[in-house]
Amino acid sequence: MPELPPLKQLLFGDLWNEFATTRRVIERVPPDRLDWRPHPKSWPLGALATHLATLPLWLRGMVEGDDFDLATLPPGGQAIPSHDEILQRFDQEVGALRTAFDAMDDEALLRPWTLRRGEHTILTVPKGAILRQLGVSHIVHHRGQLSVYLRLLDVPVPNIYGPTADEPAPF
């Protein structure tokens, strides 16, 4: 029977491709439309792009720690004011995450990770599960929102998992 690849590879073999795709979507954000929003209840474009740029920081916190207390969150963050700075921040956070992720062993993925608000425990799950759910799936969700924003602004949408009306698949 062939040897199985490491758990980290099985669970997150797609992680760096997801980040490369996310960067391609963020690159398309029009620098002069960062304040635009599709609906009054929606985030402004720049705030959504900023959130995507900083989500790797959240993943790094999950990799390096065993819990997170929502009560310690600072007040709502401000959008990064320029497109270039958003991309720089994304690259910085992905690089720091890669360093932390590369240092993590498979056993760490099985350790419990807890989300709480003060003394109230919201959930405790294996670290690998929370990285997938609140990490990768969260990024994919917001990247999907951002691709809709681009479509509404008539900005060409890059291929994500296959071709779009604007760009053929790379294969």
Side-chain angles (χ1 to χ4, degrees), residues 93-136:
E93 297 300 349
V94 169
L97 172 62
R98 181 172 277 250
T99 299
F101 192 81
D102 287 348
M104 181 177 61
D105 61 18
D106 280 357
E107 287 181 29
L109 293 170
L110 302 174
R111 282 199 297 268
W113 187 91
T114 300
L115 180 64
R116 65 177 42 96
R117 182 179 302 280
E119 296 299 315
H120 173 68
T121 296
I122 298 168
L123 62 84
T124 299
V125 296
K127 187 177 286 200
I130 202 66
L131 282 165
R132 215 52 228 176
Q133 181 182 1
L134 283 182
V136 179

Side-chain angles (χ1 to χ4, degrees), residues 11-166:
L11 287 174
F12 300 102
D14 61 338
L15 185 60
W16 310 114
N17 287 333
E18 291 296 342
F19 283 124
T21 299
T22 300
R23 190 180 201 291
R24 282 197 316 273
V25 175
I26 295 171
E27 285 172 348
R28 302 285 174 97
V29 169
D32 61 337
R33 302 299 302 269
L34 297 180
D35 290 334
W36 181 85
R37 61 176 76 209
H39 186 276
K41 293 181 180 180
S42 299
W43 285 7
L45 178 61
L48 181 56
T50 294
H51 187 58
L52 268 170
T54 59
L55 278 174
L57 172 67
W58 287 72
L59 268 79
R60 184 165 48 100
M62 293 173 197
V63 167
E64 294 176 341
D66 293 324
D67 68 338
F68 185 76
D69 185 351
L70 292 170
T72 65
L73 277 175
Q78 297 295 317
I80 297 171
S82 84
H83 182 257
D84 288 344
E85 290 176 71
I86 291 169
L87 282 170
Q88 289 170 3
R89 179 69 182 272
F90 179 76
D91 292 341
Q92 171 190 337
E93 297 300 349
V94 169
L97 172 62
R98 181 172 277 250
T99 299
F101 192 81
D102 287 348
M104 181 177 61
D105 61 18
D106 280 357
E107 287 181 29
L109 293 170
L110 302 174
R111 282 199 297 268
W113 187 91
T114 300
L115 180 64
R116 65 177 42 96
R117 182 179 302 280
E119 296 299 315
H120 173 68
T121 296
I122 298 168
L123 62 84
T124 299
V125 296
K127 187 177 286 200
I130 202 66
L131 282 165
R132 215 52 228 176
Q133 181 182 1
L134 283 182
V136 179
S137 296
H138 192 166
I139 289 168
V140 169
H141 162 72
H142 287 302
R143 185 179 68 208
Q145 286 180 305
L146 188 56
S147 69
V148 171
Y149 279 37
L150 296 178
R151 174 63 68 225
L152 292 172
L153 288 168
D154 203 25
V155 173
V157 177
N159 70 63
I160 295 175
Y161 294 117
T164 67
D166 305 305

